[in-house]
Amino acid sequence: MQLNKKIDLVLSGGGARGAIHVGILQAFDDYKIEINAISGTSAGAIIGALYCAGVKPIVIQEIMVTKSYKDLFHFSLHKKGFMDMSKLAIVLKEFIKDDSFESLKIPMHVCASNVDAGGFRIFNSGTLFDKVAASASVPIVFEPILIDGEHYIDGGLFNNLPVDPFVGGGNLIIGSHVNNYTFKGELNVLSITDRIISLVIKENVKKSGAKCDYLLNPFVEGNDSLFNLKNSEKLFDVGYEAAEELINTELIRLKVKP
C-alpha cells in the first residue's frame, strides 16, 4: 500500500510487552507500508534498532521467543543494579553488522534518561549498542550505562513515547504504546518495579501520545510483566490486529489514487 505521506513510528518501552511492537511491524510489512524513521525507548529501542538494521519482524519475534531474560541480561550483584547489559550487546552484534546509527537502513532515534543531570536525551548518531542498552536499563534492576561521562538508564522515566524527533516534520506520526494492562501481579520486587515504572510513565505518555496522528494503545488482558517473555506470541497477535485495524480503517484513506 502506497501512502501519500511518509510514516514516522514511535515505539514505547514496556519490556516483554514490546512483542506488541513486533506484531505491528509485521502488519506494516505484510501490507507493504514503508517506515520512514523510528524513535524508541527501552524495548522500543531494541526492537526499533533491529528493524532499522533490516531484521524482519518474524525474526525479531523468534529472538523474543527463544531468548529468555537470563540469556539477554547477565545477572550480577553490583551496587548499582542486579543485572548488566553485556549479553544484550552480544545479541545485537549477532544481527546488526556495525555498531553505529549511521549503518542502519532506516533512521533511528533512541531515548535514554540522564541519571546525573536529570531529563532525557535522544541519540541518533555514533555508537548504537551502548545507547540502546542505556535506553533499556530499567532502574534498580539494571546498571546505568556510562555515555560521554554521564550515566543513563531507561528512557521511559522521562519520555516513554519519544515523539520529539518527528514533531513538525510533516510526516504521519504513529505511536505504539504497550503498557495498557490491568495490574494483577504478585507483590515481589519485579512486579512492584514494573508497576511503579508504569505509573511513573503514565503522564509523560499522555503528553507524547497527543502529538501523534494515531496512537496504537491496545488493551492487554492479564498482567504481562516487563520480564515475562512467555506470552510473546499472544502479544505479537495483539499488535498485529491493532495495526491491521488501523490500516483498514484509517490508513486506507491515505492511499495514493492510481
Side-chain angles (χ1 to χ4, degrees):
M1 179 187 296
Q2 186 179 5
L3 305 179
N4 59 19
K5 275 192 175 184
K6 294 181 178 179
I7 291 179
D8 292 332
L9 184 63
V10 189
L11 305 178
S12 77
R17 293 188 293 271
I20 293 173
H21 296 322
V22 186
I24 289 169
L25 288 168
Q26 184 64 61
F28 286 151
D29 274 13
D30 287 349
Y31 281 86
K32 302 187 184 310
I33 295 175
E34 294 184 5
I35 305 299
N36 176 67
I38 293 179
S39 179
T41 288
S42 199
I46 297 173
I47 292 164
L50 289 167
Y51 185 80
C52 289
V55 182
K56 296 297 183 182
I58 192 64
V59 176
I60 300 174
Q61 175 68 358
E62 289 174 1
I63 295 170
M64 297 191 73
V65 171
T66 59
K67 301 284 186 180
S68 69
Y69 259 69
K70 71 177 181 179
D71 293 326
L72 293 177
F73 305 114
H74 173 65
F75 278 86
S76 60
L77 294 176
H78 298 288
K79 293 180 180 179
K80 298 176 184 177
F82 293 113
M83 302 185 233
D84 66 43
M85 285 287 185
S86 58
K87 291 193 176 181
L88 175 60
I90 294 173
V91 172
L92 292 175
K93 287 177 184 177
E94 183 180 347
F95 295 94
I96 302 177
K97 183 178 179 180
D98 297 313
D99 180 16
S100 72
F101 282 88
E102 289 75 15
S103 71
L104 298 175
K105 298 177 180 180
I106 298 172
M108 177 74 194
H109 305 270
V110 171
C111 180
S113 298
N114 189 315
V115 178
D116 302 321
F120 66 88
R121 179 177 174 184
I122 294 180
F123 300 91
N124 53 24
S125 63
T127 55
L128 174 68
F129 300 161
D130 56 341
K131 278 81 171 187
V132 172
S135 182
S137 293
V138 177
I140 302 176
V141 179
F142 299 115
E143 291 185 76
I145 304 295
L146 188 65
I147 301 173
D148 297 335
E150 295 186 303
H151 295 90
Y152 288 86
I153 58 174
D154 197 306
L157 277 181
F158 296 110
N159 194 349
N160 198 47
L161 194 68
V163 68
D164 311 73
F166 303 142
V167 175
N171 296 332
L172 192 70
I173 303 174
I174 299 177
S176 173
H177 177 242
V178 298
N179 298 297
N180 185 8
Y181 69 98
T182 301
F183 178 70
K184 297 179 181 178
E186 297 178 2
L187 294 181
N188 56 47
V189 173
L190 293 182
S191 67
I192 292 173
T193 299
D194 183 352
R195 185 57 176 167
I196 289 173
I197 292 172
S198 294
L199 292 173
V200 167
I201 67 179
K202 186 176 181 180
E203 292 305 314
N204 72 56
V205 167
K206 283 183 181 179
K207 295 177 182 178
S208 298
K211 298 176 183 178
C212 296
D213 294 293
Y214 299 104
L215 178 64
L216 294 169
N217 188 32
F219 177 74
V220 179
E221 286 286 351
N223 181 38
D224 292 284
S225 77
L226 289 169
F227 310 100
N228 179 17
L229 290 168
K230 294 180 180 179
N231 294 325
S232 293
E233 292 182 2
K234 179 192 77 173
L235 295 172
F236 176 94
D237 291 340
V238 168
Y240 192 98
E241 290 169 6
E244 192 170 42
E245 181 179 359
L246 176 69
I247 292 167
N248 289 321
T249 59
E250 297 292 337
L251 299 190
I252 193 74
R253 295 186 298 145
L254 300 175
K255 186 176 180 180
V256 175
K257 295 180 180 179

